[in-house]
Every structure is written in structure tokens, then in C-alpha cells.
Amino acid sequence: MTEERLDIVEGVISLPYRWSTGAVAARFLEGLREKKILATRCLECRRVLVPARPFCPRCFVDTGEWLELPDRGKLRTYTVVNYSYEGQLLPPPHIIGIIELEGADVGLVHFVGGVDLSDFDKVAEQLPADVTVRAVWRKERAGRITDIEHFTPA
């Protein structure tokens, strides 16, 4: 008789879902379809939030002002993804970065492209600290965050 291992659980989990974006996220996504990056501003602390949010996570007050931001900003940090995982939008290797768009007070997480990934040791040379990046828009847009294909060094 073989002993059952308790440190391994095998199985398949499938979790299909649908959710309502809400009015604020819907407007943000519609803006992307039109090649516009929309943000909201907190009426109390005046922080500009992108993606647009219905309330400020710092002050817990409703945001009440909409702004259109430029599709460029500073790459604040990044990581090179060189392994595969379930649900990955891009095959490895690829870069995920935090972009602080001009006029925003928070970072937007997105893909970074236009960088040679054949030598990981040289990636930092191509992406110096606070390098300016700009959005590369898809020709066909559908109102999704992936309407911005990636950000690339400007």
C-alpha cells in the first residue's frame, strides 16, 4: 500500500467570471478606445489617479474631476518576466513597468516594449532611471487596457 502525500494537492480550477466595470472604469476604458488616457482628481488631496477611480484610496472621498493625460511619462521601475505562468498575456520574456504619466500622482502598471531582451544584463542600459516612455497604441482598439500595446522609450 502506498502512502498518500499530504503536501501535494492535484486538481484543475476554472473560474469564469463577468463583472460590471462601473461608470468610472467604463469611461476610462472608453477613453482608451479613443486613444485618450483619462484620470480622476481627488477633490480633497488633489492627487491625480490613473486608471481613473471613483474615490481616492487615501482620503476616501469621491473623485469629481476628470482629466485627460498625455500618453507619455517616466518609467519609475520595472521587472523582466522570463518565466511562463497561467493567464499570461505575453509570452516571456517581456517587461512590466510602473509608468508615472505626466500629470499623474500614481503609477500605471503596463507592458514596456521596444527593448532588446536578448541579453538581460543590458536591459538596464536601455532603460536608465526615470527614462521617458510613450504609449504605443493598437490600431484596432476595443476599450481595454491592452488598447495600449505597450510603452516604449521615447
Side-chain angles (χ1 to χ4, degrees), residues 37-54:
I37 301 176
L38 300 178
T40 50
R41 185 191 317 259
C42 175
L43 297 176
E44 189 166 312
C45 72
R46 308 299 294 164
R47 286 188 332 141
V48 175
L49 308 169
V50 64
R53 298 172 196 156

Side-chain angles (χ1 to χ4, degrees), residues 7-8 18 35 46 63 65 81 97 123 126 130 138:
D7 61 339
I8 297 175
R18 291 178 66 183
K35 292 175 73 171
R46 308 299 294 164
T63 55
E65 184 179 351
V81 178
V123 170
Q126 299 172 71
D130 294 332
R138 292 192 186 278

Side-chain angles (χ1 to χ4, degrees), residues 25-26 28-34 141-147:
F28 171 76
L29 294 171
E30 186 57 37
L32 293 177
R33 185 185 305 205
E34 299 168 8
R141 293 174 303 284
R144 297 174 185 261
I145 193 67
T146 53
D147 287 351

Side-chain angles (χ1 to χ4, degrees), residues 87-108:
Q88 206 166 20
L89 294 178
L90 291 178
H94 61 268
I95 297 173
I96 297 175
I98 298 178
I99 295 100
E100 188 177 305
L101 296 170
E102 289 179 13
D105 293 304
V106 297
L108 174 69

